[in-house]
């Protein structure tokens, strides 16, 4: 799609939650220079927005305005004046005009990830998403097809809006590919499994109604990181894992035993329910939680003037959960999202 030299509709990337759509979208800026390296004297720009990761990106108006400003900065265009009174369609029209001004020798890749994470009122993409693009501009959007009753029409709406769009479904991994991924991860980390551990783990890769997905695979592998060669008795816990939710529960149980049931589950719950916290805010909340304090300070109490949870306790949890935590900068502060 990126290499095609025709104008037209965007590319629609869709798939169930956890199939790796955002990972693919994040990899596109890395791969684009390789795809287009044979084109001499051509500059390549990639503009990407991960929608819904912050309050700033949940309302499509603000990402659109920032995209317009970024494109104007890249190509030296005069930035249009956008007032609060401007409608979404006004902003859409401004974006379309700017895209038409991009020199033909320049290439722009525009990426909108996770449209389903926008506010409900922004699900109607006809209000803000340009439909036709110049030859040198390619737009790729990603979404969950039918996540719930409110969002079930996003994919169908995109199809009806962009009748000639390129549509790509991101499917679950087949059993053979899932096994190859596990083997690659083991080689990368210089780890090996006993014969019975390997048998139990691979038995969980048999396709079910929506597994294995990359997320499910990653969770299973992270669970196996806690195994020792003499830990065959732990394998019985795998019996209750059939879906992603089961794997998450199992990983949480494993990390709760390592870090402490109360502090681990409270920390993850605070991050999840708040919709994002800075580490300072999280430590403040944990330090004000009596149940957390009682679970940590069992044998002694710290001085009253520094009655605060040691930072190292959260750092250890963060290090074990780093793959599932996203850092975004909001108003100059780094915010963590689960």
């Amino acid at each position: 799609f990126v290499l095609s030299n025709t104008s037209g509709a965007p590319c629609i990337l869709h798939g169930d939650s956890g199939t790796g759509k955002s990972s693919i979208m994040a990899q596109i800026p890395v791969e684009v220079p390789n795809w287009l390296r044979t084109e001499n004297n051509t500059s390549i720009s990639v503009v990407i927005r991960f929608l819904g990761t912050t309050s700033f990106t949940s309302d499509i108006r603000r990402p659109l305005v920032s995209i317009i400003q970024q494109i104007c900065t890249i190509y030296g265009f005069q930035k249009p004046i956008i007032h609060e009174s401007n409608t979404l369609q006004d902003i859409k029209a401004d974006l379309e005009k700017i895209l038409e001004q991009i020199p033909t020798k320049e290439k722009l890749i525009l990426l909108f990830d996770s449209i389903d994470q926008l506010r409900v009122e922004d699900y109607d993409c006809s209000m803000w998403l340009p439909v036709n693009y110049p030859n040198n501009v390619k737009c790729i959007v990603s979404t969950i097809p039918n996540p719930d009753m409110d969002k079930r029409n996003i994919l169908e709406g995109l199809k009806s809006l962009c009748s000639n769009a390129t549509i790509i479904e991101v499917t679950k991994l087949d059993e053979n590919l899932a096994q190859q991924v596990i083997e690659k991860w083991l080689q990368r980390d210089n780890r090996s499994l006993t014969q019975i551990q390997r048998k139990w783990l691979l038995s969980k890769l048999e396709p079910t109604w929506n597994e294995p997905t990359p997320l499910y695979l990653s969770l299973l592998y992270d669970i196996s990181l806690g195994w020792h060669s003499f830990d065959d008795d732990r394998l019985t816990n795998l019996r209750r894992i059939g879906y992603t939710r089961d794997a998450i529960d199992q990983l949480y149980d494993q990390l709760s035993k390592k870090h402490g049931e109360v502090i681990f589950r409270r920390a993850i719950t605070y991050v999840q329910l708040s919709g994002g916290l800075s580490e300072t805010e999280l430590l403040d909340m944990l330090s004000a939680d009596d149940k957390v304090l009682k679970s940590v300070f069992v044998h002694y109490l710290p001085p009253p003037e520094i009655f605060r949870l040691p930072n190292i306790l959260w750092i250890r949890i963060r290090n074990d959960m780093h793959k599932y935590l996203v850092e975004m900068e909001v108003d100059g502060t780094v915010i963590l999202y689960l």
Side-chain angles (χ1 to χ4, degrees), residues 90-102:
D90 293 334
I91 299 174
K92 174 184 174 182
D94 286 335
L95 177 58
E96 290 172 332
K97 289 177 185 176
I98 289 171
L99 294 178
E100 292 290 343
Q101 296 175 33
I102 297 174

Side-chain angles (χ1 to χ4, degrees), residues 94-216:
D94 286 335
L95 177 58
E96 290 172 332
K97 289 177 185 176
I98 289 171
L99 294 178
E100 292 290 343
Q101 296 175 33
I102 297 174
T104 54
K105 286 189 176 181
E106 311 282 347
K107 286 207 176 275
L108 174 68
I109 314 298
L110 186 57
L111 307 174
F112 292 96
D113 180 56
S114 300
I115 291 178
D116 53 278
Q117 295 298 314
L118 290 170
R119 302 179 308 164
V120 175
E121 47 266 45
D122 292 330
Y123 293 163
D124 182 3
C125 298
S126 65
M127 298 296 292
W128 59 268
L129 181 68
V131 175
N132 292 304
Y133 296 84
N135 293 356
N136 58 333
V137 178
K138 302 296 178 184
C139 177
I140 304 174
V141 302
S142 72
T143 185
I144 295 174
N146 303 300
D148 57 41
M149 293 300 291
D150 287 334
K151 305 175 186 177
R152 62 181 178 179
N153 293 322
I154 293 180
L155 181 58
E156 292 303 318
L158 282 169
K159 287 180 178 179
S160 60
L161 178 65
C162 312
S163 57
N164 60 337
T166 300
I167 299 176
I168 301 172
E169 181 181 4
V170 183
T171 60
K172 65 182 180 182
L173 300 173
D174 62 52
E175 188 175 356
N176 290 333
L177 184 56
Q179 291 185 22
Q180 290 177 38
V181 172
I182 290 290
E183 295 295 340
K184 285 289 185 181
W185 285 344
L186 288 169
Q187 292 176 20
R188 178 197 65 193
D189 296 336
N190 295 317
R191 290 182 57 83
S192 61
L193 300 174
T194 66
Q195 187 173 358
I196 188 170
Q197 287 173 345
R198 184 179 298 272
K199 179 180 177 181
W200 276 72
L201 185 61
L202 295 183
S203 70
K204 292 299 176 182
L205 304 183
E206 297 173 359
T208 58
W209 70 277
N210 70 341
E211 313 291 5
T213 63
L215 175 59
Y216 177 76

Side-chain angles (χ1 to χ4, degrees), residues 29 35 42 45 53 60 142 173 177 204 214 227 240 254 267 272 276 297 300 306:
W35 297 342
T42 300
S45 301
T53 53
I60 192 59
S142 72
L173 300 173
L177 184 56
K204 292 299 176 182
W227 296 346
R240 58 191 178 92
Q254 192 166 296
Q272 183 176 11
F297 300 112
Y300 75 99
I306 54 168

Side-chain angles (χ1 to χ4, degrees), residues 249-266:
D249 290 341
Q250 178 64 34
L251 179 64
Y252 280 12
D253 287 346
Q254 192 166 296
L255 293 177
S256 292
K257 292 177 183 177
K258 179 178 179 179
H259 298 286
E261 176 85 19
V262 176
I263 185 172
F264 175 80
R265 292 196 177 272
R266 289 294 177 109

Side-chain angles (χ1 to χ4, degrees), residues 25 44 47 75 82 85 105 137 172 194 226 234-235 255 267 311:
M25 295 289 274
I44 306 158
V47 174
Y75 298 109
I82 300 175
S85 59
K105 286 189 176 181
V137 178
K172 65 182 180 182
T194 66
R234 288 196 187 184
L235 300 179
L255 293 177
N311 292 10

